Amino acid sequence: MTTATDPPPAARATTSRTGDVTAAVEAARRAQPGWDALGFAGRRKALNAWCALILRRSDELVDLIRAETGKTADDARLEVVLVAHHLRWTAAHAARVLGRRGVSPGLLMFNHAVEVTHRPLGVVGVIGPWNYPAFIPIGPVSAALAGGNTVVLKPSELTPRTGEWLMATLAEVTGGTRVLHVVTGDGTTGEALCRAAVDKISFTGSSATGRRVMAACADNLTPVVIEGGGKDAMVVAADADLDAAADAAVWAAMTNAGQTCVGLERVYVVDAVADRFLGLVTERAAALRTGDGPEADLGRIVLPRQLDVIATHVGDALARGARAVLGGPQSITPPYVAPIVLADVPEDSAAVTDETFGPVLVVNRVASVEDAVERANASGYGLGASVFTRDRSRGRSVAARLRAGMVSVNAVIAFAGMPAVPFGGVGESGFGRVHGPDGLREFTRTQAVTSQRFRPLMQPTSFRRRPGTMPALVRMVRTLYGR
Ligand code: NAD
């Protein structure tokens, strides 16, 4: 029998020591020039072959993800679909985004030609969480590889086998040349990777760990991407399609048993439709089942300590006057938590301000959409958000006022299924972007090369310039920009 204190079954990997981490980084560094020399076309071919292999063996990956995280088969299948979708896009678009391009030299320097390139950084360290052990790392891993870097991945200590599976399948298509290395272990291994003189760290995990990662990287001035936690909010306007909004809210809050960084944790619904919305949410959430079997909608809560966080948030909210519309403390039966819907939760309680990371949805009524935006923005986090209104142009204008990295109008978490869309947050949710063109550029250094095509008539950047050169230049600039 599994108890809340048992680690997931497949989570027993050896811990990499500092020496192993150094060796992995050195091996990745040795492999990097050869991988870079393949060029965009060669790397695209290899990454596409990897994608095809992952899909051929997707049942294996689904089983592995399920064994390590206890998520439902459908949640694991969705993860594999996203892996393939993102990998394929990154492979296809790296050349266009990162390839050499000409840039106008501008009027003053018209005698030059300019080219801008995005060169690989070298070796990129990727530190991943357990909640989407294949999908989350594939963003930075595929972008770094497509750009000509090699990678050392430190998966979560709860999901080492998924990371190793990704490494082994890629090695199959690169003929044994390891361009992706994996080191396993807990935060100690993660810290060793931060200190191992890699050229960039892409970290995904809690904001608290993100701070420690930055501190470790500071010693070597290693740049970092921080994909931290979230406390995503949904704004429901009076004219919203309530059926669609309720369906989306329940899925976004409960999928992966609420253990999703861009999972929905707060809803601000306009008073006029609040009761109807709450009724629809409750009806849908009440129908969901927990368990490990094929009929389950919600799998287990992976981290035993998260059960305490969930219990504390729910208990504190209720003690401070919130209403339990569905479930309550009795819904927490380790390792499962059945859906909990809380209403009228004080805005300064932990269930509203802190990441709960469980199937708990706070639904608070508001006087207006403006009020909803203000409350949504009061969070220190700023990862994803959503807006429901039948007026799409109003939806976009509300979205523009939300302090979040990604906003979906009349949908939830839509951006995660779009490989061209940059993903990342603000504030406590971190900085830097994965996915899309921004995610590709994140693992490169930009280099500009200017080359003089012919000598100009006026030469202001020389001590041998003629006496009339500077006055003529000033006159020209005044004529051009002085009005
Ligand atoms: P975590 O912060 O506990 O661990 C994340 C990773 O960091 C793990 O691999 C861990 O071993 C490693 N780590 C721990 N201490 C370290 C240290 N001192 N130095 C270097 N590495 C260290 O997070 P978790 O529990 O694995 O994941 C859940 C969290 O991740 C949630 O807060 C969730 O919101 C967040 N998350 C964010 C995103 C995003 O894209 N923004 C995506 C998924 C999850």
Side-chain angles (χ1 to χ4, degrees):
M1 191 185 85
T2 310
T3 72
T5 49
D6 287 334
R12 288 167 191 112
T14 51
T15 296
S16 308
R17 292 182 304 269
T18 303
D20 304 330
V21 176
T22 310
V25 172
E26 282 169 358
R29 202 166 290 290
R30 282 194 299 277
Q32 195 269 331
W35 178 246
D36 185 27
L38 286 182
F40 290 114
R43 292 194 296 270
R44 175 181 182 167
K45 204 168 149 212
L47 294 176
N48 281 347
W50 188 27
C51 181
L53 181 63
I54 289 173
L55 288 176
R56 276 201 303 281
R57 288 169 51 184
S58 64
D59 287 348
E60 230 175 82
L61 183 55
V62 164
D63 289 347
L64 196 49
I65 292 172
R66 293 198 67 206
E68 290 197 309
T69 66
K71 64 175 70 181
T72 66
D74 276 351
D75 281 344
R77 285 185 197 114
L78 181 57
E79 183 164 352
V80 175
V81 166
L82 291 175
V83 164
H85 198 33
H86 281 257
L87 183 50
R88 192 76 192 194
W89 185 93
T90 309
H93 292 269
R96 177 182 57 81
V97 175
L98 304 177
R100 192 180 302 275
R101 68 176 199 281
V103 172
S104 162
L107 212 57
L108 292 186
M109 311 293 271
F110 73 100
N111 57 316
H112 292 257
V114 188
E115 278 185 339
V116 172
T117 52
H118 297 275
R119 298 293 302 132
L121 295 172
V123 178
V124 172
V126 175
I127 300 176
W130 50 265
N131 62 339
Y132 291 86
F135 171 52
I136 295 289
I138 210 72
V141 165
S142 64
L145 289 172
N149 305 277
T150 50
V151 177
V152 178
L153 167 66
K154 206 297 280 175
S156 163
E157 54 273 40
L158 297 175
T159 57
R161 301 281 180 236
T162 303
E164 285 170 341
W165 191 92
L166 291 174
M167 173 178 72
T169 46
L170 179 55
E172 274 185 44
V173 305
T174 54
T177 308
R178 287 258 168 103
V179 294
L180 170 63
H181 293 254
V182 169
V183 291
T184 53
D186 59 13
T188 317
T189 312
E191 185 175 343
L193 184 56
C194 293
R195 296 186 185 283
V198 289
D199 298 291
K200 189 154 191 170
I201 287 282
S202 174
F203 166 81
T204 307
S206 64
S207 306
T209 308
R211 286 184 169 79
R212 289 198 283 277
V213 164
M214 277 189 79
C217 286
D219 282 350
N220 287 324
L221 220 59
T222 302
V224 286
V225 175
I226 301 286
E227 296 289 346
K231 189 74 191 174
D232 288 11
M234 175 189 282
V235 174
V236 182
D239 70 342
D241 176 342
L242 291 186
D243 219 46
D247 190 64
V250 171
W251 183 78
M254 310 299 167
T255 186
N256 209 27
Q259 302 162 110
T260 302
C261 55
V262 284
L264 181 67
E265 301 213 350
R266 302 176 289 156
V267 177
Y268 294 110
V269 52
V270 169
D271 205 19
V273 294
D275 288 332
R276 224 150 30 96
F277 176 78
L278 254 177
L280 291 167
V281 164
T282 310
E283 187 187 310
R284 281 173 168 75
L288 302 179
R289 291 147 302 178
T290 58
D292 270 339
E295 75 298 337
D297 303 293
L298 280 72
R300 69 173 98 110
I301 298 300
V302 174
L303 279 181
R305 68 170 183 272
Q306 204 62 34
L307 291 160
D308 300 334
V309 173
I310 296 168
T312 305
H313 285 193
V314 172
D316 170 66
L318 295 177
R320 301 178 65 184
R323 281 189 299 130
V325 183
L326 176 70
Q330 71 281 7
S331 310
I332 303 169
T333 53
Y336 306 108
V337 177
I340 298 173
V341 180
L342 304 174
D344 309 326
V345 184
E347 290 292 321
D348 60 352
S349 61
V352 174
T353 58
D354 298 354
E355 187 179 49
T356 307
F357 225 55
V360 179
L361 184 59
V362 167
V363 181
N364 278 352
R365 60 186 69 223
V366 289
S368 63
V369 165
E370 283 61 44
D371 188 7
V373 169
E374 204 172 302
R375 293 189 200 210
N377 288 347
S379 171
Y381 292 108
L383 197 51
S386 51
V387 185
F388 275 79
T389 166
R390 282 200 162 84
D391 179 348
R392 269 207 308 134
S393 107
R394 184 181 181 214
R396 289 201 300 276
S397 111
V398 173
R401 280 179 281 141
L402 286 167
R403 183 178 162 275
M406 299 82 57
V407 188
S408 306
V409 177
N410 291 333
V412 275
I413 321 182
F415 42 81
M418 303 173 185
V421 172
F423 185 104
V426 297
E428 288 285 311
S429 296
F431 48 81
R433 291 294 180 267
V434 293
H435 303 172
D438 303 55
L440 276 162
R441 287 187 207 107
E442 198 70 68
F443 302 105
T444 59
R445 60 182 169 84
T446 308
Q447 186 182 44
V449 176
T450 72
S451 61
Q452 178 162 289
R453 292 183 296 142
F454 54 88
R455 282 173 66 85
L457 291 174
M458 287 195 301
Q459 183 58 286
T461 56
S462 164
F463 289 116
R464 297 197 296 159
R465 65 188 161 234
R466 295 199 192 110
T469 295
M470 287 317 292
L473 186 63
V474 169
R475 266 197 312 280
M476 188 174 100
V477 169
R478 278 202 186 124
T479 309
L480 287 172
Y481 310 134
R483 274 165 294 152

